[in-house]
Amino acid sequence: MLSKSESLTSWQESVMSSTWLTYVLEQWTGVEYHYLYYIVFILWVLNIIFFAPLLIFISISCFLNLLLHIYKRKNGLDEDFSSKSWDNGRFMVASVLSMCGKLWHGYELHGMEKIPEGPGLIVYYHGAIPVDYGYFICNLYIQTGRLCYSAVDRFFAKLPGIQLLFNLLPAVHSGRNESVEILKKGNLLGVSPGGSREAFFSDENYNLLWGNRKGFAQVAIDAKVPIIPLFTQNIREGYRMFGKIGFFRWFYECSRLLLIPGYGGFPVKLRTYIGDPIPYDPNITATELVEKTKTAIETLRDRHQKLPGSILRALLERFDKHQKED
């Protein structure tokens, strides 16, 4: 007669071996089923940890997109996002995101008065997940009523479930000519020259990884607008990527897919600082303007960010009430 423990073991084996997937995996890998379940569980946990920041970002975006669809249908709106009828929906989205930033990161925005009334090209440091830039454009809209167009990677144009949100904020995916036209119409446009490479491969030293990119500078020259530098304290401590691992760098360079795992979502203190505008100069070259812009952002970084960054210090700064604001 089997003991209680032996009967339980026999029952577990019977149930698990009855699944075809378990059988196939066991035969293919040569690993016993109970070890396979341990491995799957560990991979599941690691997937949640490593991809949680991106999943949270996409989940919130999809939720807001759903609210906008409800708003659109309830009010019988069309796709003319410049219409005043969309203002309440836009304000709702900005308010929700601004509240998320305030509650989770104690988000602060300093230097709003430095943004000119006319057009301007906002150039910012790209964190692993640029939630800070999202908080910035939302606070800008709430406080001034001004929209800031955003140049984003084409990857996001293909993500399902967030198109209405991106059209409303609004985000653009085109090149230099469209960017110049946006600015010539008197708008603000935000761009990060470092892009995904800076997001993935910069680190707690907040190095700017712009390579030879100078298209943004030529856009500012062609549109005859100032460049407004922007930097957020601790953005690299809130969200980090495994870009230092050689395999992930190789994978990105070969595929250009934005699938490098990261970790974070820590409730660190985030403060965005707007620097003094770099005025339009008809005599400056694009290469010279790139260097001036890079220097301006590095100056903001060196003034407001302790290097190298520390997650623990960034968390403790949530309780610092005497932070210098200049």
Side-chain angles (χ1 to χ4, degrees):
M1 184 173 180
L2 294 175
S3 65
K4 184 176 181 180
S5 61
E6 290 174 332
S7 297
L8 179 60
T9 301
S10 176
W11 175 81
Q12 289 175 330
E13 290 178 353
S14 175
V15 171
M16 291 183 178
S17 63
S18 66
T19 65
W20 67 270
L21 180 59
T22 300
Y23 175 79
V24 170
L25 288 175
E26 186 174 349
Q27 295 298 314
W28 180 50
T29 63
V31 179
E32 295 184 19
Y33 69 87
H34 51 277
Y35 292 120
L36 284 173
Y37 276 85
Y38 292 147
I39 293 171
V40 170
F41 175 75
I42 292 172
L43 291 175
W44 178 75
V45 171
L46 291 176
N47 182 65
I48 291 177
I49 293 173
F50 292 160
F51 289 97
L54 182 59
L55 292 176
I56 292 172
F57 171 77
I58 294 176
S59 298
I60 293 175
S61 298
C62 289
F63 173 71
L64 291 175
N65 199 78
L66 175 62
L67 292 182
L68 288 174
H69 274 290
I70 296 173
Y71 176 83
K72 176 184 177 182
R73 184 168 183 176
K74 182 178 179 181
N75 293 278
L77 301 179
D78 55 23
E79 300 294 319
D80 180 13
F81 298 106
S82 62
S83 170
K84 294 288 185 181
S85 302
W86 279 104
D87 285 353
N88 288 335
R90 189 178 286 112
F91 186 82
M92 172 190 68
V93 168
S95 298
V96 170
L97 288 176
S98 178
M99 180 179 64
C100 290
K102 190 68 175 178
L103 292 176
W104 193 246
H105 291 294
Y107 181 76
E108 298 176 12
L109 176 58
H110 301 286
M112 184 78 81
E113 69 282 355
K114 296 180 180 180
I115 297 180
E117 294 185 3
L121 184 66
I122 294 170
V123 180
Y124 62 96
Y125 171 82
H126 201 304
I129 298 181
V131 295
D132 58 316
Y133 176 73
Y135 299 149
F136 160 71
I137 61 175
C138 289
N139 279 271
L140 175 69
Y141 181 73
I142 292 171
Q143 296 182 35
T144 69
R146 297 189 66 183
L147 285 175
C148 180
Y149 285 73
S150 305
V152 301
D153 194 285
R154 290 182 180 275
F155 170 82
F156 292 100
K158 300 177 182 179
L159 287 178
I162 60 174
Q163 292 309 301
L164 184 56
L165 174 65
F166 271 38
N167 289 333
L168 192 65
L169 284 179
V172 294
H173 320 285
S174 299
R176 183 181 303 175
N177 292 335
E178 182 181 356
S179 298
V180 171
E181 288 303 313
I182 289 172
L183 292 167
K184 284 185 175 181
K185 291 179 181 179
N187 298 300
L188 295 170
L189 173 65
V191 61
S192 174
S196 54
R197 182 170 280 103
E198 190 167 271
F200 292 147
F201 307 121
S202 185
D203 55 25
E204 59 272 17
N205 291 307
Y206 290 80
N207 298 314
L208 274 61
L209 303 181
W210 293 5
N212 295 320
R213 292 184 177 178
K214 55 183 180 181
F216 76 94
Q218 192 62 55
V219 165
I221 293 172
D222 293 344
K224 301 180 181 180
V225 299
I227 286 180
I228 302 105
L230 185 146
F231 176 82
T232 298
Q233 178 189 42
N234 295 328
I235 185 58
R236 186 59 64 170
E237 309 338 302
Y239 307 85
R240 289 188 174 179
M241 292 291 179
F242 289 97
K244 288 185 176 180
I245 299 177
F247 168 77
F248 293 126
R249 184 64 180 261
W250 170 84
F251 176 80
Y252 172 78
E253 298 296 348
C254 291
S255 67
R256 288 296 191 271
L257 295 177
L258 309 184
L259 296 176
I260 294 180
Y263 62 98
F266 305 119
V268 301
K269 184 68 177 182
L270 295 183
R271 294 184 178 94
T272 293
Y273 294 94
I274 301 169
D276 295 324
I278 302 171
Y280 165 68
D281 181 355
N283 299 315
I284 197 172
T285 67
T287 300
E288 293 170 336
L289 187 53
V290 168
E291 291 305 314
K292 289 188 70 172
T293 307
K294 184 178 293 186
T295 299
I297 294 180
E298 289 175 339
T299 298
L300 287 174
R301 177 199 65 191
D302 296 342
R303 181 181 301 167
H304 301 292
Q305 180 68 54
K306 294 180 180 179
L307 300 174
S310 164
I311 295 175
L312 177 59
R313 184 174 62 237
L315 289 169
L316 294 176
E317 285 177 356
R318 288 294 300 270
F319 307 99
D320 181 6
K321 304 297 183 182
H322 305 287
Q323 179 71 18
K324 187 178 180 181
E325 296 185 4
D326 60 344

